[in-house]
Amino acid sequence: MRYHLVAFLVVAVWGSTFVFTKILLQAGMTPAQIFTFRFLIAYVLMLPCSWAMGERRWMTDNWRDELLMVALGVTGGSLYFLTENAAMLYTTATNTSLIVCSCPLFAMLLVALVYRKSERITRIKALGSIIACIGMAVVVLNGHFVLHLSPLGDALAFAACLCWAFYSLLMKAAIERYSDLFITRKVFFYGLLTIIPYFICKPEETAIFNGQWIMINGQCSMDNVQWPIIGSLLFLGIVASLLCFLVWNWVIRKLGAVVATNWVYFNPITTIVFAAWLLREPITPWFLLGTVLILLGMYLCDRRVGVRSQGV
């Protein structure tokens, strides 16, 4: 239960990030700039933490493991955030949430395909995942069962979905040989490194300040600093990136890639709860029904895992 509680808290934080991201977008920052700042803050702060905790190695044991870290930085960092945020420009938020939050199904299939002997898809696990996915769809659609199809936007959202599914798969291999602290630091590093080609193609986004993000009229003082923007960047960098990525990798180690990734189904739930709390948006019966289905589906998945563990 402790590991599940921690997973829920991480997903709850990730579900609330839309508010802070929206503040930064309204201030003039682009999705790529937001990603770069949040990962840069997380990486800079993680360096002294790693040194203090004795994790001082810089490279993996071999070049294949180093390529694995590069893949983690791409699938869990640069490519994932770029495709997810870009999808919002071409399709609705409902479509994006529905497609991206279905990644646990693809993660389960990928893990079962690669680890055929140790991660077989049982009937109960498959049924639980399907029920949880249906519950997630009920929450996202919220009684409005109409989708506005957009081939480009939906394709980008599906690409983000596959990115996180592959991230879960690759993380299963990484945690067998390296510590959570080392892996998380490498994810931030390669996430930042692999975003550079995007800025080369988009040189207009390389400006660090535009007179609106941090300062007003090009002047910097304690009186005119935009504290909501500073606070949003710090929250996304320290809490949503540094702490959540580190803890999430630890949760994958404890619960397994499939069970941990199933908590992504809770993302729209926490988002709606957060919106109801801050924005006074109503909680509908569809939301309650979808929540029950998600809980039931996750219970079936984890119950099966628990029975197998006891048998071993």
Side-chain angles (χ1 to χ4, degrees), residues 143-258:
H144 304 285
F145 300 98
V146 178
L147 292 177
H148 301 280
L149 299 181
S150 172
L152 179 57
D154 294 342
L156 288 170
F158 185 68
C161 170
L162 290 181
C163 279
W164 197 256
F166 273 103
Y167 177 83
S168 302
L169 173 66
L170 296 172
M171 185 59 64
K172 181 176 176 62
I175 60 178
E176 295 176 354
R177 298 188 289 275
Y178 301 98
S179 67
D180 301 325
L181 194 64
F182 177 76
I183 295 172
T184 307
R185 194 183 74 225
K186 298 293 281 188
V187 168
F188 292 148
F189 174 76
Y190 282 117
L192 290 170
L193 191 65
T194 53
I195 198 67
I196 294 177
Y198 175 85
F199 285 112
I200 294 177
C201 297
K202 295 277 189 178
E204 65 275 10
E205 294 190 21
T206 56
I208 299 178
F209 299 108
N210 64 2
Q212 296 178 357
W213 299 355
I214 310 298
M215 301 177 292
I216 296 180
N217 298 325
Q219 300 177 359
C220 183
S221 68
M222 295 301 293
D223 297 329
N224 57 28
V225 171
Q226 298 294 288
W227 293 113
I229 300 175
I230 295 292
S232 297
L233 284 173
L234 291 178
F235 177 84
L236 292 175
I238 298 174
V239 180
S241 295
L242 174 60
L243 296 179
C244 285
F245 268 81
L246 181 60
V247 174
W248 185 256
N249 294 339
W250 174 76
V251 168
I252 291 180
R253 182 187 299 274
K254 298 298 183 180
L255 294 179
V258 174

Side-chain angles (χ1 to χ4, degrees), residues 110-120 169 172-173 176:
L110 285 173
V111 171
L113 182 64
V114 176
Y115 299 91
R116 296 180 181 180
K117 296 182 179 180
S118 59
E119 294 287 349
R120 291 178 299 174
L169 173 66
K172 181 176 176 62
E176 295 176 354

Side-chain angles (χ1 to χ4, degrees), residues 61-80:
D61 296 333
N62 52 67
W63 65 269
R64 292 180 180 177
D65 288 350
E66 198 67 27
L67 290 178
L68 175 62
M69 298 300 168
V70 175
L72 286 171
V74 173
T75 56
S78 55
L79 186 59
Y80 170 76

Side-chain angles (χ1 to χ4, degrees), residues 254-269:
K254 298 298 183 180
L255 294 179
V258 174
V259 176
T261 307
N262 278 338
W263 277 98
V264 174
Y265 288 134
F266 259 85
N267 206 321
I269 293 178

